[in-house]
Amino acid sequence: MDDRGGSFVAVRRISQGLERGSVYHSSSAEVVAGSAAWLGRGLSCVCVQGRDGDPRPSFDLTPAQEECLQRLQSRIDVAYDSSIPQHQEALKDLWKLAFPEEELHGVVSEQWKEMGWQGKDPSTDFRGGGFISLENLLYFARKFPKSFQDLLRKQVGDRSVWEYPFAVAGINITFMLIQMLDLEAVKPRSIVGETFLRFLSVNESAFDLLYCIAFKLMDQQWLSMRASYMEFNTVMKSTRRQLEREIMVEDITSLEDLPSYSLLSQ
């Protein structure tokens, strides 16, 4: 905890890839307290904030776009609740997809730290992302299993000695996208938000797909900036700016047209 409030857990990378039993253990000397950049237990926003006085245009929606936005907002409104059996099962499914070779001993277990949760109970990390952040991780694991495993196990690139925790970073990305796209507003107040709704109206999984793109892009930015845990906030801001630039390119008609989409096939 620092004097600005909030805290995060940075993870020291012992060797290339995920060394089981040696990573993400808060009881070891590998854990460092830092700033509120991590969207973990304190759920401090890591996103780029708009300036006071910025013009906020409003866009009219077609009935189809309005319906799609409302369905997505309904997903965003669902909090993760460990007392709901379906939520517990979804969390167990995530473990099976992440570590199919290892049996999970319980929904509350020290094993979760291996995935990059801050403690033995992942439910405490869902406060800012809600259930949709778990759905995003599940979609990523099922739709792009190689990319998911590459990021989980830090298998690509010259990694930092102090790496970002995978799962907590994933919650950051969900929260960042909700803010970037202004999804809690009645209707979009930015060109980026309006453009995304056009993608959403033809692909109901557009938010989940954009999440996968954003996660891969964030990792690429992390590597290209040779970042370590203190630069995570800077990496997230850079990721958001790059996504906004790509979405606003005139000839982009779907998320698959975004330049960063190709990262998912690498």
Side-chain angles (χ1 to χ4, degrees):
M1 183 80 71
D2 68 0
D3 56 6
R4 289 167 293 182
S7 64
F8 65 80
V9 174
V11 179
R12 186 173 184 180
R13 187 179 62 85
I14 305 302
S15 62
Q16 188 71 19
L18 185 66
E19 295 294 328
R20 308 195 58 73
S22 63
V23 183
Y24 302 128
H25 287 261
S26 60
S27 60
S28 74
E30 310 304 327
V31 177
V32 175
S35 75
W38 291 111
L39 187 62
R41 286 198 175 91
L43 295 172
S44 303
C45 175
V46 299
C47 308
V48 179
Q49 300 294 331
R51 296 183 298 274
D52 291 341
D54 278 353
R56 302 300 296 268
S58 181
F59 299 87
D60 292 328
L61 304 181
T62 66
Q65 288 173 338
E66 187 172 353
E67 183 178 349
C68 288
L69 176 59
Q70 288 174 352
R71 282 199 294 268
L72 180 54
Q73 288 173 332
S74 295
R75 290 179 63 195
I76 292 170
D77 288 341
V78 177
Y80 179 85
D81 186 344
S82 58
S83 69
I84 298 177
Q86 294 92 330
H87 289 198
Q88 285 197 23
E89 289 305 311
L91 192 58
K92 292 176 184 177
D93 286 344
L94 179 64
W95 178 267
K96 292 174 186 176
L97 291 163
F99 303 119
E101 73 284 357
E102 181 177 344
E103 182 181 355
L104 179 66
H105 301 319
V107 290
V108 176
S109 169
E110 294 289 335
Q111 291 172 284
W112 288 110
K113 296 177 186 177
E114 298 175 35
M115 196 185 297
W117 301 101
Q118 294 192 98
K120 62 183 180 180
D121 183 2
S123 67
T124 62
D125 287 331
F126 279 119
R127 296 177 194 166
F131 186 63
I132 193 172
S133 59
L134 175 54
E135 291 179 317
N136 290 157
L137 284 166
L138 285 166
Y139 181 91
F140 193 10
R142 289 166 175 156
K143 188 75 173 179
F144 303 101
K146 181 182 183 302
S147 290
F148 178 88
Q149 289 292 334
D150 285 347
L151 298 189
L152 171 65
R153 300 172 187 267
K154 305 295 192 296
Q155 291 178 328
V156 175
D158 184 12
R159 310 304 307 194
S160 170
V161 173
W162 294 99
E163 276 291 326
Y164 62 83
F166 173 80
V168 176
I171 296 178
N172 271 265
I173 291 168
T174 297
F175 193 71
M176 180 269 286
L177 290 176
I178 291 170
Q179 284 206 325
M180 182 185 85
L181 302 172
D182 205 16
L183 292 177
E184 294 182 304
V186 175
K187 54 186 176 180
R189 296 173 292 181
S190 70
I191 296 174
V192 171
E194 188 272 338
T195 303
F196 171 75
L197 282 186
R198 287 194 273 115
F199 300 154
L200 185 65
S201 64
V202 295
N203 179 4
E204 285 227 49
S205 298
F207 185 79
D208 303 273
L209 179 56
L210 185 59
Y211 171 89
C212 301
I213 296 169
F215 212 144
K216 281 289 285 186
L217 177 59
M218 185 278 291
D219 190 70
Q220 184 196 57
Q221 299 272 353
W222 176 272
L223 291 172
S224 65
M225 295 169 66
R226 301 184 67 84
S228 188
Y229 68 96
M230 288 302 291
E231 289 83 45
F232 184 77
N233 197 26
T234 301
V235 172
M236 287 292 289
K237 290 179 180 180
S238 177
T239 301
R240 173 171 172 165
R241 286 192 294 267
Q242 181 62 28
L243 281 175
E244 289 173 331
R245 283 193 293 267
E246 293 188 15
I247 289 172
M248 292 176 67
V249 173
E250 281 190 21
D251 59 353
I252 297 295
T253 60
S254 70
L255 291 175
E256 289 83 357
D257 294 333
L258 297 181
S260 292
Y261 177 79
S262 63
L263 295 173
L264 290 168
S265 61
Q266 294 179 5

